[in-house]
Short mmCIF file of all heavy atoms in Angstrom, two decimals:
data_model
loop_
_atom_site.label_atom_id
_atom_site.label_comp_id
_atom_site.label_asym_id
_atom_site.label_seq_id
_atom_site.Cartn_x
_atom_site.Cartn_y
_atom_site.Cartn_z
N HIS A 461 22.37 -12.54 33.27
CA HIS A 461 21.99 -11.21 33.77
C HIS A 461 23.11 -10.35 34.38
O HIS A 461 23.01 -9.14 34.27
CB HIS A 461 20.78 -11.32 34.75
CG HIS A 461 21.26 -11.76 36.15
ND1 HIS A 461 21.35 -13.11 36.49
CD2 HIS A 461 21.62 -11.11 37.26
CE1 HIS A 461 21.75 -13.22 37.77
NE2 HIS A 461 21.94 -12.00 38.23
N PRO A 462 24.17 -10.93 34.95
CA PRO A 462 25.21 -10.06 35.53
C PRO A 462 25.87 -9.12 34.59
O PRO A 462 26.39 -8.06 35.01
CB PRO A 462 26.21 -11.07 36.11
CG PRO A 462 25.38 -12.30 36.42
CD PRO A 462 24.43 -12.39 35.28
N ILE A 463 25.98 -9.48 33.28
CA ILE A 463 26.67 -8.55 32.36
C ILE A 463 25.86 -7.29 32.12
O ILE A 463 26.38 -6.21 31.94
CB ILE A 463 27.08 -9.17 31.03
CG1 ILE A 463 25.94 -9.81 30.29
CG2 ILE A 463 28.20 -10.21 31.26
CD1 ILE A 463 26.31 -10.36 28.93
N THR A 464 24.47 -7.42 32.16
CA THR A 464 23.64 -6.27 32.11
C THR A 464 23.78 -5.44 33.33
O THR A 464 23.84 -4.20 33.27
CB THR A 464 22.15 -6.68 31.89
OG1 THR A 464 22.04 -7.35 30.62
CG2 THR A 464 21.25 -5.49 31.92
N GLU A 465 23.84 -6.09 34.49
CA GLU A 465 24.09 -5.36 35.73
C GLU A 465 25.39 -4.61 35.68
O GLU A 465 25.45 -3.45 36.18
CB GLU A 465 24.10 -6.36 36.94
CG GLU A 465 22.78 -7.06 37.18
CD GLU A 465 22.76 -7.96 38.35
OE1 GLU A 465 23.82 -8.63 38.59
OE2 GLU A 465 21.77 -8.03 39.08
N ALA A 466 26.43 -5.18 35.11
CA ALA A 466 27.72 -4.57 35.10
C ALA A 466 27.72 -3.27 34.28
O ALA A 466 28.27 -2.24 34.72
CB ALA A 466 28.75 -5.54 34.55
N VAL A 467 27.13 -3.28 33.11
CA VAL A 467 27.19 -2.10 32.23
C VAL A 467 26.17 -1.05 32.65
O VAL A 467 26.35 0.16 32.36
CB VAL A 467 27.06 -2.48 30.74
CG1 VAL A 467 28.25 -3.37 30.28
CG2 VAL A 467 25.75 -3.09 30.45
N PHE A 468 25.06 -1.47 33.24
CA PHE A 468 24.00 -0.50 33.66
C PHE A 468 24.14 -0.05 35.11
O PHE A 468 23.46 0.89 35.52
CB PHE A 468 22.64 -1.04 33.38
CG PHE A 468 22.19 -0.84 31.94
CD1 PHE A 468 22.33 -1.87 31.00
CD2 PHE A 468 21.56 0.32 31.52
CE1 PHE A 468 21.91 -1.68 29.70
CE2 PHE A 468 21.16 0.52 30.21
CZ PHE A 468 21.31 -0.49 29.31
N GLY A 469 24.89 -0.76 35.89
CA GLY A 469 25.00 -0.42 37.31
C GLY A 469 23.68 -0.64 38.09
O GLY A 469 23.34 0.19 38.91
N ILE A 470 23.00 -1.69 37.75
CA ILE A 470 21.72 -2.03 38.36
C ILE A 470 21.79 -3.41 38.96
O ILE A 470 22.48 -4.30 38.45
CB ILE A 470 20.58 -1.89 37.35
CG1 ILE A 470 19.21 -2.05 38.05
CG2 ILE A 470 20.71 -2.96 36.23
CD1 ILE A 470 18.03 -1.82 37.11
N ASP A 471 21.06 -3.63 40.05
CA ASP A 471 20.90 -4.98 40.67
C ASP A 471 19.57 -5.50 40.18
O ASP A 471 18.48 -5.03 40.63
CB ASP A 471 20.95 -4.88 42.20
CG ASP A 471 20.88 -6.25 42.84
OD1 ASP A 471 20.18 -7.12 42.35
OD2 ASP A 471 21.50 -6.38 43.89
N LEU A 472 19.54 -6.41 39.25
CA LEU A 472 18.28 -6.91 38.64
C LEU A 472 17.47 -7.68 39.67
O LEU A 472 16.22 -7.72 39.58
CB LEU A 472 18.55 -7.71 37.39
CG LEU A 472 19.00 -6.85 36.18
CD1 LEU A 472 19.46 -7.78 35.04
CD2 LEU A 472 17.90 -5.95 35.71
N VAL A 473 18.09 -8.35 40.57
CA VAL A 473 17.34 -9.11 41.58
C VAL A 473 16.67 -8.10 42.51
O VAL A 473 15.48 -8.33 42.86
CB VAL A 473 18.29 -10.06 42.42
CG1 VAL A 473 17.53 -10.70 43.56
CG2 VAL A 473 18.82 -11.15 41.47
N GLU A 474 17.32 -7.08 42.92
CA GLU A 474 16.70 -6.01 43.74
C GLU A 474 15.51 -5.44 42.98
O GLU A 474 14.41 -5.25 43.53
CB GLU A 474 17.66 -4.96 44.09
CG GLU A 474 16.99 -3.83 44.94
CD GLU A 474 17.95 -2.76 45.32
OE1 GLU A 474 19.16 -2.91 45.24
OE2 GLU A 474 17.47 -1.66 45.73
N ALA A 475 15.67 -5.22 41.69
CA ALA A 475 14.57 -4.70 40.83
C ALA A 475 13.40 -5.71 40.85
O ALA A 475 12.24 -5.28 40.99
CB ALA A 475 15.05 -4.42 39.45
#
Side-chain angles (χ1 to χ4, degrees):
H461 75 273
I463 57 174
T464 296
E465 294 182 322
V467 298
F468 276 94
I470 187 173
D471 184 326
L472 288 172
V473 172
E474 179 179 345

